[in-house]
Amino acid sequence: MLLFLRKQKYLIDYTLSSLLRRKGKSLGLLAVYTTIVFMLASVTLFTHALRKEAGLMLQASPEIIVQRMQAGRHAMIPADYLQRIGRLRGVMQKAGRLWGYYYDPIVKANYTIMTEGQSDTPLTEIVIGTGIARVQGLDVGDYLTLRSQSGEAFSFQISALLENDSELVSADLLLMSPKAFRRLFSIPEGFYTDLVLSVRNPREVNKVAEKLSQLLPDTRPILRDEVLRTYESVFSWRQGILFVLLLGSVLAFVIFAWDKASGLSAEERREIGILKAVGWETADVMRMKFWEGMVISLTAFLIGYLAAYGHVFFASASLFEPVLKGWSVLYPQFRLTPYVDGLQLATLFFFSVLPYIVATIIPIWRTSIADPDAVMR
Amino acid sequence: MLLNPAIMALVMVSAVICLMLLLASWFAVRVLSHWDINSGSERQLRLERRTYLISTLLVWAFSFQLMSLLLFIYNAESMSGQFVGAMCATGVLNVNAWGWPTLFLKMGVFFTGAVWLVLNYLDNQGHDYPLIRYKYWLILAILPLVAAELILQLLYFTNMDPAVITSCCGALFSSQSEGVAGEISGLPPAQMMPGFVLLGAAVILSGVWVAKRRQGGWLFALLGGAAFIVALMSVVSFISLYIYEHPHHHCPFCILKSGHDYIGYLLYLPLFAATALALSVGVISPWRKITSLTLAVDRIVPRLSWIAVVFFSLFYLVAAWSVWTSHLTMTGVWW
């Protein structure tokens, strides 16, 4: 065993010195390899972190949302639906929500407006997200004017800014009192945007949803688990699309690696000839070449992965952002929580190292079976 | 579902393995019809040189196979969030009829691949390649398995329908349910436990015997295979119950989750490695009668047997430890 390990050590030693002797060629290969790993790893890390973030955020959302549908469109739901639901076994809480979107033509962006607090919240005070504050140049104490449904202008004083760490959801958020919301959008008392129900036992959620759709046939219940599942598949779908696009470059890399491994210079050919002449066997040469591939692969994988880590978690993945996050004027600025996942790492390995290994097997074999006298002549 | 990156990777790996085996099989046919170690012809020389390539190809192919088996289970585990009713890998494998067959085929290819690698290693020790024909016949036998795996896996992934409500492990592995899984879950632990322990002792003893005496390899392989099956059944029947500390949860996959300290990997990895080694010992020990291999067999068999014994012991120790430290008490229920 010790002998085996020592032999491998000498082989690696030899490989390293031989790689260093051919600096230009080795570095060229390493650069291309690293770039491939970097791109794939950036996509992987970024989508995975986003998926994680979405999942964490939705943990706090209610289990069931009930929306009223009219002619296939989402419509305001009357408050007496809450009474019509009555007491459903398993439902801990039920409440109506008021929320909507407001298009601001000045900055050409949509705000998400939600209501907060009881009816005694001051009518003219609002809380805004940092994204809005940034584009409008606002701060606490400043005034923000919104145009109501009827054409009047309402001025609100900003009482606070939403915290930075929730910027992924709160960048475009605007919180106001329910009364102000009804005035702004001319929504009569007794109507809500939708209803939310919280169900304690996850196994009862489906049953409650079934009862709801019988009780209120003009509504649709939306389950939190469904939303989570959708997020999950949308993100892995987007990641898959990007992978398919990057597959072209992986293929190019495979051809490049094949070419590099088979197009040996006269110098290298001579080197292998001498090795075989001094007593190396074909298997030894192949083993040496195997270690060469391993050294290059591991270095490229490590550097590429670390660079991608920095790109995603410190530079906010500036290269892929628009594709993976979607488009918006009010881009949230946020740092993702670093998250490394074994499955993602394995997938990445299969997409980068495996093609390299497969591409170099045949060229390596071709090199190592060469006859010493033929190559040295 | 094909656009999921892990699924793309799995399909790609299977396709690459299949291609590698196709290449090897094509060569195997030529070896089987033209191989003549005593000939000095150019064709024979070419064939001998090419065996290096084929060995390398297959070493990689079977290492990839091992990784793809792990990735397959890991992926099934992580996809459980995307299917209604699935809570772990069981539900995801149950999404359609192809999930379980794919898993079993992957396991089958893993074991035959491991045996092939050991056979190949042994053959290379003999100066006259005495096993070359058997070795290449075995490749021809593995090829259909690999091809079937590729096709089944493709069917499995393309037919995944997120709208289908699948059954979770609690429904499949319960003594009330029908089918193989239900049968295994319903096995009485009072009888399973002694069987598990006895077979464990037998396999370890036979392994030590083979390592010391260099004979009885076939018995070790037989016992190893039996121990593997009984061990998997025991995991479903009672070991998992102790890990979950729940008298009715039989799932063999939930133990892979972080909530149980990934103890499943500590159970399955040694078990699979030990079984593969035991099977290999059984396959190579009869070749001791070939003169050019006697020395090599005498050297390799004890070594493999010792490693197998260590892995088997590790598995049984982890299993015993998880039963011992569990807070679940079934005295009075099972016996």
Side-chain angles (χ1 to χ4, degrees):
Chain A
M1 195 63 194
L2 211 64
L3 199 75
F4 174 80
L5 287 181
R6 206 168 288 160
K7 188 172 174 185
Q8 305 307 317
K9 196 188 125 208
Y10 291 138
L11 278 174
I12 296 173
D13 204 32
Y14 176 83
T15 308
L16 284 178
S17 62
S18 119
L19 277 175
L20 286 179
R21 248 178 290 138
R22 290 173 274 124
K23 266 199 201 88
K25 189 177 168 180
S26 315
L27 282 181
L29 178 62
L30 196 67
V32 176
Y33 204 157
T34 310
T35 315
I36 291 281
V37 174
F38 168 75
M39 290 200 295
L40 290 171
S42 296
V43 175
T44 311
L45 283 172
F46 190 54
T47 38
H48 198 73
L50 276 186
R51 192 158 43 185
K52 207 75 198 159
E53 204 94 340
L56 284 178
M57 223 119 58
L58 285 173
Q59 284 307 319
S61 86
E63 280 80 6
I64 302 180
I65 298 170
V66 183
Q67 290 184 341
R68 181 162 166 251
M69 304 297 289
Q70 204 165 29
R73 312 268 302 175
H74 175 202
M76 289 290 159
I77 192 164
D80 60 7
Y81 274 41
L82 278 173
Q83 275 75 55
R84 272 176 65 187
I85 292 173
R87 267 209 51 175
L88 276 180
R89 200 178 292 263
V91 176
M92 306 275 294
Q93 265 175 359
K94 49 184 199 279
R97 289 198 307 188
L98 280 171
W99 58 272
Y101 299 115
Y102 178 89
Y103 179 71
D104 190 339
I106 301 165
V107 292
K108 297 190 178 62
N110 259 317
Y111 303 154
T112 306
I113 300 188
M114 296 183 82
T115 56
E116 183 196 46
Q118 308 305 312
S119 42
D120 58 336
T121 322
L123 259 182
T124 54
E125 275 185 14
I126 54 170
V127 177
I128 62 171
T130 38
I132 303 177
R134 215 168 24 237
V135 291
Q136 292 260 33
L138 295 172
D139 211 337
V140 177
D142 291 346
Y143 285 89
L144 176 67
T145 307
L146 302 175
R147 225 170 99 99
S148 81
Q149 204 88 350
S150 50
E152 306 161 72
F154 284 102
S155 276
F156 295 97
Q157 190 174 27
I158 296 159
S159 63
L161 295 182
L162 287 164
E163 282 165 27
N164 263 330
D165 41 328
S166 59
E167 199 169 328
L168 187 55
V169 269
S170 67
D172 65 341
L173 197 61
L174 203 153
L175 299 177
M176 60 172 67
S177 75
K179 223 173 195 166
F181 187 87
R182 289 184 193 280
R183 290 273 293 278
L184 189 66
F185 292 106
S186 321
I187 295 171
E189 286 284 343
F191 280 92
Y192 288 115
T193 313
D194 53 21
L195 306 180
V196 291
L197 275 65
S198 65
V199 179
R200 178 71 173 278
N201 184 352
R203 291 189 186 185
E204 287 179 346
V205 172
N206 276 322
K207 195 72 203 168
V208 172
E210 195 186 313
K211 284 184 184 167
L212 277 175
S213 52
Q214 279 169 2
L215 215 59
L216 309 168
D218 59 339
T219 63
R220 69 164 173 208
I222 299 171
L223 309 184
R224 186 181 66 191
D225 285 353
E226 271 174 5
V227 179
L228 268 172
R229 260 199 302 282
T230 312
Y231 266 113
E232 186 89 359
S233 11
V234 163
F235 278 126
S236 66
W237 183 80
R238 280 186 181 184
Q239 189 184 351
I241 290 278
L242 263 181
F243 264 46
V244 169
L245 294 179
L246 288 176
L247 221 54
S249 25
V250 173
L251 212 62
F253 167 65
V254 165
I255 296 170
F256 178 76
W258 179 295
D259 194 54
K260 278 270 175 195
S262 52
L264 289 187
S265 63
E267 179 92 8
E268 288 167 87
R269 234 178 266 278
R270 222 168 55 104
E271 190 180 312
I272 287 165
I274 293 173
L275 287 177
K276 290 195 100 177
V278 297
W280 284 42
E281 283 173 35
T282 307
D284 292 326
V285 179
M286 289 183 87
R287 227 164 275 148
M288 184 266 280
K289 284 280 169 190
F290 158 80
W291 280 119
E292 194 178 294
M294 278 296 125
V295 168
I296 291 182
S297 292
L298 288 181
T299 317
F301 197 80
L302 207 67
I303 299 177
Y305 198 80
L306 285 179
Y309 192 93
H311 173 220
V312 170
F313 296 121
F314 300 118
S316 301
S318 31
L319 290 178
F320 301 112
E321 215 173 17
V323 190
L324 293 171
K325 262 183 0 196
W327 291 261
S328 169
V329 177
L330 285 179
Y331 248 147
Q333 285 180 349
F334 59 93
R335 283 253 178 103
L336 289 161
T337 327
Y339 190 83
V340 178
D341 173 62
L343 179 71
Q344 305 289 331
L345 214 62
T347 309
L348 195 61
F349 176 85
F350 276 133
F351 268 97
S352 54
V353 178
L354 183 134
Y356 176 78
I357 292 173
V358 174
T360 50
I361 290 178
I362 292 181
I364 284 179
W365 165 74
R366 242 193 227 129
T367 323
S368 40
I369 54 163
D371 281 327
D373 63 320
V375 285
M376 282 199 294
R377 200 168 293 156
Chain B
M1 278 286 153
L2 268 184
L3 273 176
N4 182 313
I7 291 180
M8 276 161 60
L10 277 168
V11 172
M12 188 181 77
V13 173
S14 289
V16 165
I17 294 174
C18 201
L19 263 177
M20 286 166 131
L21 263 123
L22 262 178
L23 204 69
S25 306
W26 175 65
F27 176 67
V29 172
R30 288 202 356 216
V31 164
L32 290 173
S33 47
H34 298 303
W35 186 266
D36 175 14
I37 191 75
N38 297 315
S39 152
S41 70
E42 196 170 330
R43 182 163 65 193
Q44 173 65 17
L45 218 63
R46 268 212 309 273
L47 284 181
E48 278 177 30
R49 278 186 174 164
R50 198 155 268 240
T51 52
Y52 283 105
L53 173 63
I54 302 305
S55 304
T56 321
L57 271 182
L58 290 178
V59 169
W60 280 117
F62 293 134
S63 339
F64 293 156
Q65 180 66 32
L66 170 65
M67 288 188 262
S68 108
L69 172 65
L70 287 174
L71 184 66
F72 184 77
I73 293 172
Y74 205 80
N75 178 52
E77 192 73 56
S78 78
M79 278 182 80
S80 54
Q82 295 180 34
F83 293 97
V84 187
M87 295 172 101
C88 69
T90 311
V92 179
L93 288 172
N94 254 339
V95 160
N96 57 42
W98 313 108
W100 289 99
T102 310
L103 177 65
F104 291 137
L105 258 181
K106 270 188 191 292
M107 278 159 58
V109 175
F110 164 70
F111 283 125
T112 36
V115 168
W116 191 89
L117 288 180
V118 175
L119 201 64
N120 179 51
Y121 179 73
L122 176 70
D123 187 40
N124 288 343
Q125 306 298 309
H127 57 86
D128 53 350
Y129 300 106
L131 301 179
I132 195 139
R133 281 177 197 279
Y134 302 102
K135 180 164 107 173
Y136 284 107
W137 272 115
L138 190 55
I139 291 183
L140 292 184
I142 298 177
L143 177 68
L145 286 182
V146 172
E149 187 219 298
L150 173 67
I151 294 166
L152 278 187
Q153 183 173 267
L154 212 58
L155 279 173
Y156 171 53
F157 286 138
T158 45
N159 286 321
M160 274 186 164
D161 183 359
V164 168
I165 298 182
T166 170
S167 52
C168 89
C169 47
L172 185 69
F173 290 99
S174 84
S175 39
Q176 279 84 38
S177 75
E178 311 237 319
V180 184
E183 292 285 325
I184 296 175
S185 314
L187 289 173
Q191 275 111 61
M192 273 318 277
M193 246 189 211
F196 175 71
V197 173
L198 284 179
L199 206 55
V203 77
I204 289 175
L205 280 180
S206 79
V208 173
W209 171 269
V210 174
K212 292 245 183 214
R213 296 292 169 92
R214 291 170 194 166
Q215 48 187 312
W218 60 273
L219 183 70
F220 184 40
L222 211 67
L223 284 173
F228 175 72
I229 294 168
V230 170
L232 288 189
M233 281 157 63
S234 305
V235 167
V236 175
S237 166
F238 67 91
I239 296 175
S240 55
L241 302 187
Y242 280 104
I243 295 173
Y244 306 131
E245 306 189 334
H246 185 297
H248 290 292
H249 195 191
H250 287 279
C251 181
F253 290 105
C254 291
I255 50 176
L256 298 171
K257 284 184 190 283
S258 57
H260 304 287
D261 299 331
Y262 301 107
I263 197 166
Y265 290 101
L266 225 56
L267 282 171
Y268 289 135
L269 290 180
L271 180 65
F272 273 72
T275 310
L277 289 167
L279 291 177
S280 315
V281 166
V283 170
I284 63 168
S285 54
W287 303 114
R288 194 164 179 271
K289 60 177 189 278
I290 295 178
T291 14
S292 59
L293 290 183
T294 311
L295 272 177
V297 171
D298 278 348
R299 194 165 46 83
I300 298 170
V301 163
R303 201 181 289 171
L304 292 187
S305 308
W306 279 127
I307 304 177
V309 166
V310 168
F311 277 134
F312 269 125
S313 314
L314 191 64
F315 166 74
Y316 285 107
L317 281 178
V318 172
W321 181 80
S322 53
V323 172
W324 183 255
T325 53
S326 172
H327 293 101
L328 182 73
T329 317
M330 296 307 277
T331 328
V333 183
W334 287 346
W335 46 75

